[in-house]
Amino acid sequence: CDWEFRRVLFRSTTGAGDVFCGAFSVYLSENHTLTESVEFANAAAALAVTRMGAQSAIPYKREIAL
């Protein structure tokens, strides 16, 4: 598979993997496809790395644009 990725100016990568895994799990559990879930998780992690901190960087679902 060829996955597209987002280019962002990052501030901190702390928690990016956790955000990706959490977002992927949530989206997949909502009966989205594997591809949709990866794209959603990628968008969530891309947004998270633009913020400082770990918990404070976790985006709300409504903030994640596909």
Side-chain angles (χ1 to χ4, degrees):
C1 292
D2 291 323
W3 305 106
E4 290 188 27
F5 61 93
R6 295 169 186 247
R7 291 185 184 268
V8 295
L9 296 175
F10 68 92
R11 295 184 71 198
S12 173
T13 59
T14 301
D18 295 323
V19 169
F20 183 92
C21 290
F24 176 80
S25 298
V26 166
Y27 220 60
L28 192 61
S29 73
E30 294 175 346
N31 296 318
H32 293 276
T33 67
L34 179 64
T35 298
E36 291 168 338
S37 299
V38 168
E39 289 172 353
F40 180 78
N42 184 45
L47 182 56
V49 300
T50 65
R51 302 171 177 177
M52 291 300 296
Q55 289 180 328
S56 59
I58 300 170
Y60 288 96
K61 189 175 180 182
R62 65 179 177 267
E63 295 179 284
I64 302 167
L66 294 176

